[in-house]
C-alpha cells in the first residue's frame, strides 16, 4: 500500500500505470516473433498462427488458441490457404481471413463452424490486407485487394457485401486505413501519401483534418478509439495528430521525433478520461503520447502485441501480460502523496484504528467537520472497484466499512454490490480461468454476458457458483448453465447413452426453465437418436415430446405419447402427417376431427362405423336411432349389405325394447338380443320372447336352450317336462345338461 504510486507516471494532469495481469502459462519457443496474433477485447482469448505465409504441405503452420492467461484451449495444424488476418467476433468466435477472400469461422475450442466468401472479385485479385471490427450491428470485416478495391461486410451473421468506390490515384494497398462507424454508417478512412480519403457506399471524398498540413509528411499510421469517437494520424516526419473521428476538431499535434513507422498504434483512454493518449509500439519502445503534448516511455524487452480495451491497453508478451491505463481520478485522490481528499483521510483513519492509535479519531473528526464522511465512504468503495490487487481492495473496503459505522442514514447498497462484484471478478481473473476484466469492462459487458462467457468456456461449476452467490433467478442463472452443460454432455462420444441420460437426469433434475426436449434435440443433431428418446422420457410436457419424436420419424412412439397425455391440442402435430397417424390419433382423442377426415376422404365404411360407435355414447333413444340411421345410409353407400341388415335389426330391437319398457317397465333398453330374450323369459313374458324369436329368426336350438334354462332356473319342472316332450326330437338331448346342473330335477 505504501508504494502503490511507485508505478504511476504523470501525463499532464493525470497519471498512467501498468498493472501486472498474468505471468503467461504458455511455452512459446520463439515468443511472438513471426506470428499472426489476435486477442479478443474484454479479456478475451488469444489466437496465434505461426508463419502464416508458409506454403509447404510437409510443414504446415500451427493455429493455437489460448486463454488470456496463456492456458492452452486448442491447437491444430492449418490445412487451408494462406491467412492474411485473424480476428474475434463479439461472441468469441475466431475469424480466419485467407488470401482468396474466404473467411473460415471456428469456435473457441477450434471446431470448424462455417465459412463464407468476400466475393468473386476478391478471389481473382486476392486480399492484400484485412481488418475485423465491431460495430452496433455486430462483427464486420473490411478488406482491400491487390486491385486497390475495398469490400465491406458490416455484420457477418447477416452477410451483405458492399464494394466501395475506387480511390483515384491509388496503386496497390493504401499507406494505412481504418474503419469508422459514424451516424449509423460504416466508412473507410484511408491515406495515399499526404492525402486522406473517406469511402462510403456511393462516394470517395477527399478530407483535410484541421491543423494537419501536407508539409507534415505522408500519413503512415492511423488509429481510431475503442468508441470510434477519436482518431490519431501519424506522419512519416513523426507528427502525431489527434482529434475527433469526424475530422471536425483537433485535440493535439505532437512531435514524437520518431520517423520510423510503429508496429502498432492504439488509443488508451477510459470513460470520463482526464488525459486520453495514444500508445505507439516499436521493437524496443512503448511510447504513450498525451493530448497535452507530454509523453511517457516504457522500454520493451520481448516482442509484444497491443490489445485495445475500452479503458486501457493490454500488453501481451511471451512471458507476461500487463494493463496500461490512466489511473482513475478517485484512485488519484485517495493515493496521491499528501492527498487531503475525504477517501484518503478515511483510509488513513482506518490504518491508525488498526494500530489502536488515537490519530484515527483525529482523522475522523476532520472528515466530519467537513461533512464529507459519506463522500469518503463512497470514494473508498469506488476506488476498490478500480483496483486489481486484492489486498488494496480489502484495505479500501475495510476503510469504507469503518466509515459507514459512523453514519446513520447511509445506504449500504453500493457497498454490498461492489463487494459481491469484486468477489466475482477476482474469481474470473484467476489464471485458471483467464478473464482479466476490469470493473469498468464488467459493467459494460453486464453480468449475463459474463456468465455466458463462463458457460461458453465450459467453466460450469464456477458459473453456477456465481449465479447462486449473486442470487440470480434460476431461469436466468443456474438453469441456463445446466442446459448448456447438458447440451455439451450429450456430445461426449466416450460415454454410453444410459450413462449420459443418468448423469443429465441426476444433475438437471426438475430445475425450472430446463427443457429435456431441447437437450434431446441436441442429442439428435449429434446423431444419437436413442439417447434423445431416453432424455425425452424425463420431459414432463408431452407437447415438447411429440414434435421431436415426429421429427425423428418415431411416429408410433409419438402417437403413444400424444394419447397418454390426453391433450387434444397435440392433434395439430399430426396435421400433414401420414393418414394412419392422423386417424390413429383422432380415434383415441378427437372424434369430431375423425369424422371430418372420413368425410374428406369419402370413406363411407369407416364413417358408418363412426356413427355406430357414436350411437353407443348417446344417452337418448332418438339420438341413438338417428346415428344408426346415418350409419345405415353410409353402409348403403359402401354397399355393405350385411352391415345394413345388422344395423336395421339393431334399430328394430331398440324400438321393441322401448315399447316393452313403457308397457312392462322391464328395463330392456340397450340389452343385446339374447339377453333381452333371457330377461323376458325370466319375467314370464313368453309371448314377447316368442315374438323376438320369430322376428329376428333366432336359431331354434338357441331359443330352445334359453327357454329350457329359464324354466330350470325357476324350477318349473312340470312346464319344462311338457316342453321337453314336444315333437322336436333334439329337445331331450338339450335337457341332459340340465340334469347335471340341477340334481333335484325330476326329469
Amino acid at each position: 500500500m505504501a508504494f502503490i504510486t511507485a508505478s504511476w507516471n504523470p501525463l499532464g494532469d493525470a497519471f498512467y500505470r501498468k498493472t501486472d495481469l498474468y505471468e503467461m502459462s504458455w511455452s512459446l519457443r520463439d515468443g511472438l516473433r513471426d506470428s499472426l496474433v489476435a486477442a479478443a477485447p474484454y479479456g478475451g482469448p488469444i489466437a496465434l498462427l505461426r508463419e502464416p505465409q508458409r506454403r509447404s504441405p510437409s510443414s504446415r503452420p500451427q493455429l493455437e488458441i489460448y486463454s488470456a492467461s496463456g492456458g492452452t484451449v486448442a491447437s491444430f495444424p492449418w490445412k487451408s490457404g494462406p491467412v492474411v488476418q485473424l480476428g474475434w467476433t463479439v461472441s468469441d468466435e475466431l475469424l480466419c481471413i485467407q488470401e482468396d477472400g474466404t473467411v473460415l469461422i471456428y469456435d473457441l475450442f477450434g471446431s470448424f463452424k462455417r465459412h463464407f466468401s468476400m466475393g468473386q472479385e476478391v478471389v481473382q485479385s486476392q486480399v492484400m490486407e484485412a481488418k475485423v471490427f465491431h460495430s452496433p450491428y455486430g462483427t464486420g470485416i473490411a478488406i482491400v485487394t491487390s486491385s486497390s478495391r475495398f469490400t465491406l461486410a458490416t455484420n457477418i451473421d447477416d452477410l451483405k457485401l458492399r464494394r466501395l468506390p475506387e480511390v483515384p490515384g491509388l496503386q496497390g494497398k493504401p499507406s494505412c486505413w481504418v474503419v469508422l462507424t459514424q451516424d449509423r454508417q460504416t466508412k473507410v478512412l484511408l491515406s495515399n501519401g499526404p492525402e486522406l480519403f473517406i469511402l462510403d457506399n456511393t462516394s470517395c471524398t477527399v478530407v483535410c483534418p484541421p491543423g494537419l498540413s501536407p508539409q507534415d509528411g505522408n500519413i503512415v499510421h492511423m488509429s481510431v478509439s475503442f468508441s470510434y469517437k477519436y482518431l490519431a494520424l501519424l506522419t512519416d516526419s513523426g507528427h502525431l495528430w489527434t482529434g475527433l473521428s469526424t475530422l471536425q476538431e483537433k485535440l493535439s499535434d505532437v512531435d514524437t521525433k520518431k520517423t520510423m513507422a510503429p508496429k502498432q498504434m492504439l488509443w488508451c483512454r477510459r470513460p470520463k478520461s482526464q488525459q486520453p493518449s495514444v500508445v505507439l509500439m516499436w521493437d524496443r519502445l512503448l511510447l504513450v503520447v498525451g493530448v497535452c503534448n507530454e509523453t511517457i516511455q516504457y522500454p520493451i524487452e520481448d516482442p509484444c502485441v497491443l490489445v485495445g480495451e475500452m479503458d486501457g491497453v493490454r500488453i501481451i508478451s511471451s512471458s507476461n501480460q500487463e494493463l496500461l491505463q490512466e489511473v482513475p481520478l478517485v484512485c488519484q485522490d485517495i493515493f496521491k502523496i499528501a492527498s487531503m481528499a475525504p477517501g484518503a483521510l478515511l483510509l488513513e483513519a482506518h490504518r491508525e484504528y488498526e494500530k489502536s492509535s488515537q490519530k484515527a479519531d483525529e482523522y475522523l473528526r476532520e472528515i466530519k467537520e467537513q461533512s464529507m464522511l459519506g463522500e469518503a465512504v463512497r470514494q473508498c468503495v469506488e476506488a476498490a472497484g478500480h483496483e486489481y490487487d486484492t489486498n488494496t481492495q480489502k484495505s479500501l473496503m475495510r476503510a469504507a466499512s469503518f466509515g459507514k459505522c459512523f453514519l446513520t442514514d447511509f445506504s449500504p447498497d453500493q457497498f454490498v454490490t461492489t463487494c459481491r462484484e469484486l468477489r466475482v471478478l477476482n474469481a474470473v481473473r484467476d489464471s485458471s480461468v483467464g478473464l482479466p476484466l476490469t470493473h469498468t469492462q464488467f459493467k459494460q459487458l453486464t453480468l449475463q454476458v459474463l456468465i455466458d462467457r463462463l458457460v461458453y468456456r465450459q467453466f460450469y461449476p464456477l458459473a453456477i457458483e456465481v449465479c447462486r452467490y449473486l442470487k440470480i433467478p434460476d431461469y436466468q442463472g443456474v438453469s441456463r448453465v445446466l442446459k448448456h452443460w447438458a447440451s455439451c454432455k450429450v456430445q461426449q462420444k466416450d460415454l454410453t447413452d444410459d450413462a449420459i441420460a443418468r448423469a443429465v437426469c441426476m444433475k438437471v433434475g426438475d430445475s425450472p426453465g430446463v427443457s429435456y426436449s431441447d437437450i434431446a434435440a441436441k442429442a439428435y443433431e449429434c446423431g444419437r437418436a436413442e439417447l434423445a428418446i431416453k432424455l425425452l422420457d424425463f420431459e414432463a410436457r408431452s407437447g415438447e415430446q411429440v414434435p421431436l419424436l415426429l421429427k425423428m420419424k418415431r411416429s408410433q412412439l409419438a402417437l403413444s405419447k400424444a394419447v397418454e397425455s390426453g391433450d387434444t391440442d397435440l392433434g395439430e402435430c399430426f396435421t400433414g402427417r401420414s393418414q394412419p397417424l392422423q386417424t390413429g390419433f383422432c380415434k383415441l382423442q378427437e372424434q369430431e376431427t375423425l369424422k371430418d377426415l372420413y368425410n374428406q376422404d369419402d370413406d363411407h365404411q369407416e364413417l358408418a362405423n363412426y356413427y355406430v360407435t357414436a350411437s353407443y355414447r348417446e344417452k337418448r333413444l332418438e339420438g341413438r336411432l338417428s346415428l344408426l340411421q346415418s350409419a345405415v345410409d353410409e353402409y348403403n353407400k359402401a354397399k355393405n349389405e350385411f352391415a345394413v341388415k345388422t344395423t336395421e335389426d339393431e334399430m328394430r330391437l331398440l324400438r321393441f325394447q322401448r315399447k316393452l319398457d313403457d308397457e312392462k317397465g322391464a328395463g330392456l333398453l340397450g340389452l343385446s338380443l339374447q339377453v333381452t330374450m333371457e330377461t323376458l323369459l325370466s319375467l314370464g313374458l313368453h309371448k314377447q320372447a316368442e315374438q323376438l324369436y320369430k322376428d329376428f329368426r333366432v336359431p331354434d336350438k338357441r331359443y330352445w336352450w334359453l327357454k329350457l334354462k329359464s324354466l330350470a332356473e325357476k324350477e318349473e319342472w312340470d312346464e319344462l317336462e311338457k316342453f321337453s316332450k314336444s315333437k322336436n326330437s333334439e329337445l331331450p338331448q338339450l335337457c341332459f345338461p340340465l340334469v347335471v346342473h340341477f340334481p333335484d330335477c325330476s326329469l
Side-chain angles (χ1 to χ4, degrees):
M1 290 289 292
F3 305 101
I4 196 168
T5 60
S7 61
W8 290 14
N9 290 282
L11 189 69
D13 297 332
F15 292 87
Y16 273 72
R17 66 183 177 187
K18 285 196 337 183
T19 304
D20 289 329
L21 300 181
Y22 298 115
E23 292 291 329
M24 302 301 284
S25 57
W26 58 24
S27 179
L28 303 179
R29 186 178 57 187
D30 298 322
L32 299 177
R33 199 174 287 107
D34 299 326
S35 298
L36 196 57
V37 182
Y42 295 99
I46 304 169
L48 188 147
L49 182 64
R50 296 190 177 280
E51 300 180 12
Q53 300 301 319
R54 188 194 302 169
R55 299 173 185 268
S56 171
S58 60
S59 178
R60 299 182 184 276
Q62 194 80 4
L63 180 58
E64 300 165 355
I65 301 175
Y66 298 93
S67 68
S69 59
T72 301
V73 178
S75 177
F76 56 94
W78 184 255
K79 298 180 181 179
S80 193
V83 178
V84 175
Q85 183 67 27
L86 297 175
W88 292 93
T89 69
V90 292
S91 54
D92 284 351
E93 292 177 339
L94 180 62
L95 304 178
C96 304
I97 307 169
Q98 297 186 159
E99 274 186 356
D100 61 359
T102 302
V103 180
L104 290 82
I105 303 178
Y106 294 83
D107 69 11
L108 181 63
F109 299 97
S111 299
F112 176 75
K113 296 193 70 175
R114 60 188 178 92
H115 75 280
F116 62 87
S117 174
M118 292 296 290
Q120 188 60 36
E121 302 87 351
V122 178
V123 176
Q124 298 172 354
S125 54
Q126 292 199 332
V127 178
M128 299 276 293
E129 195 173 354
K131 293 184 186 295
V132 177
F133 61 93
H134 301 147
S135 72
Y137 305 104
T139 302
I141 295 176
I143 62 168
V144 58
T145 64
S146 58
S147 60
S148 307
R149 296 297 300 272
F150 285 85
T151 301
L152 195 68
T154 308
N155 183 5
I156 62 170
D157 293 322
D158 183 19
L159 193 63
K160 295 177 182 176
L161 298 176
R162 289 189 289 143
R163 199 173 186 210
L164 302 184
E166 292 186 14
V167 180
L170 180 63
Q171 299 293 327
K173 69 176 183 179
S175 307
C176 55
W177 59 283
V178 293
V179 179
L180 303 176
T181 298
Q182 299 172 348
D183 302 326
R184 301 180 65 84
Q185 288 189 348
T186 305
K187 305 175 183 179
V188 171
L189 175 69
L190 64 101
S191 70
N192 184 19
E195 294 183 307
L196 276 177
F197 300 89
I198 282 188
L199 294 176
D200 57 23
N201 292 345
T202 57
S203 62
C204 175
T205 308
V206 179
V207 290
C208 298
L212 186 66
S213 65
Q215 287 73 29
D216 291 328
N218 296 333
I219 299 172
V220 295
H221 220 305
M222 61 177 65
S223 174
V224 65
S225 67
F226 197 85
S227 63
Y228 294 99
K229 185 178 180 180
Y230 299 100
L231 179 69
L233 304 173
L234 181 68
T235 66
D236 56 5
S237 63
H239 281 82
L240 179 67
W241 180 94
T242 59
L244 299 183
S245 61
T246 57
L247 299 175
Q248 300 297 314
E249 182 182 338
K250 170 186 169 182
L251 294 179
S252 69
D253 188 354
V254 182
D255 185 4
T256 64
K257 297 180 174 56
K258 302 288 182 182
T259 57
M260 183 183 298
K263 288 188 172 183
Q264 278 186 272
M265 185 171 79
L266 292 175
W267 277 89
C268 182
R269 65 181 307 277
R270 59 180 304 112
K272 301 178 182 179
S273 178
Q274 288 180 286
Q275 193 60 243
S277 64
V278 179
V279 181
L280 301 93
M281 185 184 71
W282 287 270
D283 285 335
R284 296 291 179 182
L285 177 66
L286 193 72
L287 185 66
V288 182
V289 182
V291 297
C292 58
N293 297 342
E294 296 182 10
T295 63
I296 304 172
Q297 294 188 11
Y298 293 99
I300 295 177
E301 297 180 359
D302 299 321
C304 295
V305 174
L306 303 183
V307 184
E309 298 283 2
M310 67 174 295
D311 57 349
V313 172
R314 275 194 293 153
I315 306 168
I316 303 173
S317 71
S318 58
S319 59
N320 68 331
Q321 183 174 172
E322 300 171 306
L323 176 65
L324 173 67
Q325 63 174 176
E326 179 185 336
V327 179
L329 182 59
V330 67
C331 296
Q332 294 182 39
D333 289 341
I334 291 177
F335 295 115
K336 266 194 314 189
I337 297 174
S339 173
M340 296 299 291
L345 294 176
L346 180 59
L347 182 61
E348 196 62 35
H350 182 254
R351 287 176 181 165
E352 296 298 330
Y353 172 76
E354 289 184 324
K355 297 176 186 176
S356 301
S357 171
Q358 293 181 351
K359 290 184 179 180
D361 185 59
E362 295 176 10
Y363 285 121
L364 277 175
R365 286 180 183 275
E366 186 173 349
I367 300 171
K368 286 181 177 180
E369 286 173 1
Q370 302 173 14
S371 300
M372 297 295 286
L373 186 54
E375 177 64 15
V377 173
R378 186 200 63 78
Q379 284 185 344
C380 287
V381 171
E382 183 181 347
H386 293 301
E387 292 300 320
Y388 208 86
D389 178 64
T390 55
N391 291 324
T392 307
Q393 293 171 7
K394 290 176 183 177
S395 296
L396 289 165
M397 294 305 287
R398 285 170 180 163
S401 178
F402 174 69
K404 70 184 180 69
C405 291
F406 300 95
L407 294 170
T408 57
D409 57 348
F410 182 79
S411 174
D413 292 348
Q414 183 188 9
F415 179 86
V416 173
T417 300
T418 304
C419 278
R420 288 177 174 174
E421 290 174 347
L422 284 176
R423 179 168 276 184
V424 171
L425 285 173
N426 291 334
V428 301
R429 287 169 179 169
D430 188 84
S431 60
S432 62
V433 180
L435 279 173
L437 288 172
T438 64
H439 191 262
T440 305
Q441 294 169 15
F442 169 72
K443 286 295 189 182
Q444 179 69 21
L445 200 63
T446 73
L447 176 60
Q448 287 297 333
V449 176
L450 174 59
I451 293 173
D452 286 342
R453 293 201 168 191
L454 291 174
V455 168
Y456 185 48
R457 288 162 171 74
Q458 298 184 3
F459 291 111
Y460 301 115
L462 178 58
I464 290 174
E465 286 302 313
V466 169
C467 293
R468 288 174 176 164
Y469 177 67
L470 297 178
K471 298 178 180 178
I472 300 173
D474 283 344
Y475 67 93
Q476 293 179 339
V478 175
S479 294
R480 197 156 53 93
V481 176
L482 288 174
K483 179 180 176 181
H484 194 282
W485 168 83
S487 297
C488 291
K489 188 73 174 177
V490 299
Q491 300 178 50
Q492 291 186 337
K493 298 179 180 178
D494 57 332
L495 296 176
T496 64
D497 292 347
D498 287 334
I500 293 176
R502 282 196 303 270
V504 170
C505 180
M506 187 179 301
K507 183 71 74 173
V508 174
D510 297 327
S511 301
V514 181
S515 171
Y516 281 99
S517 62
D518 292 339
I519 304 170
K522 188 67 179 178
Y524 179 62
E525 288 175 11
C526 299
R528 304 186 75 162
E530 293 304 319
L531 174 59
I533 292 173
K534 292 179 184 295
L535 291 170
L536 280 177
D537 288 338
F538 302 123
E539 177 59 64
R541 296 166 297 173
S542 299
E544 299 293 329
Q545 293 176 315
V546 173
L548 181 58
L549 287 170
L550 289 173
K551 182 180 177 182
M552 294 166 60
K553 297 182 173 32
R554 300 298 180 100
S555 305
Q556 292 302 321
L557 185 56
L559 180 60
S560 173
K561 294 287 186 183
V563 172
E564 287 175 7
S565 72
D567 185 358
T568 56
D569 292 338
L570 289 177
E572 295 179 5
C573 299
F574 297 92
T575 303
R577 300 280 172 177
S578 65
Q579 185 70 20
L581 270 183
Q582 294 184 60
T583 305
F585 181 80
C586 293
K587 278 182 178 179
L588 295 161
Q589 292 289 335
E590 296 188 11
Q591 295 294 321
E592 285 302 316
T593 306
L594 181 62
K595 175 184 172 183
D596 293 338
L597 281 174
Y598 291 148
N599 268 320
Q600 179 182 336
D601 296 338
D602 290 332
D603 192 342
H604 301 295
Q605 176 68 35
E606 290 298 333
L607 185 56
N609 293 341
Y610 166 80
Y611 283 129
V612 171
T613 305
S615 72
Y616 285 102
R617 296 192 297 270
E618 181 61 48
K619 303 290 186 183
R620 298 178 305 107
L621 178 62
E622 292 75 9
R624 189 166 182 181
L625 291 172
S626 175
L627 289 168
L628 289 172
Q629 184 58 52
S630 298
V632 170
D633 296 340
E634 294 301 325
Y635 281 135
N636 277 322
K637 293 177 183 177
K639 298 180 180 179
N640 189 337
E641 295 179 1
F642 173 77
V644 169
K645 180 68 170 62
T646 304
T647 309
E648 287 176 343
D649 286 347
E650 174 70 9
M651 292 169 66
R652 282 195 299 127
L653 179 60
L654 287 171
R655 291 190 181 101
F656 181 86
Q657 290 171 338
R658 179 61 176 271
K659 180 181 177 182
L660 278 180
D661 283 351
D662 292 342
E663 293 176 356
K664 308 290 185 180
L668 302 173
L669 190 62
L671 300 179
S672 67
L673 177 59
Q674 180 167 324
V675 176
T676 301
M677 288 192 296
E678 286 180 345
T679 305
L680 289 173
L681 291 170
S682 65
L683 294 173
L685 300 174
H686 297 278
K687 183 178 180 182
Q688 288 81 356
E690 187 82 17
Q691 184 181 348
L692 284 180
Y693 159 60
K694 294 176 180 177
D695 290 347
F696 288 93
R697 298 180 182 178
V698 177
D700 294 339
K701 287 184 179 180
R702 178 182 295 182
Y703 177 67
W704 296 338
W705 171 252
L706 290 176
K707 189 169 182 177
L708 288 171
K709 183 182 175 185
S710 174
L711 293 171
E713 287 174 347
K714 293 165 65 177
E715 298 185 358
E716 295 181 1
W717 308 120
D718 294 338
E719 191 68 28
L720 189 150
E721 184 178 7
K722 184 193 300 183
F723 181 64
S724 66
K725 292 179 179 179
S726 63
K727 296 180 180 180
N728 194 301
S729 60
E730 296 184 12
L731 273 173
Q733 299 176 17
L734 291 172
C735 292
F736 177 75
L738 294 175
V739 177
V740 177
H741 286 285
F742 300 96
D744 296 335
C745 177
S746 59
L747 292 177

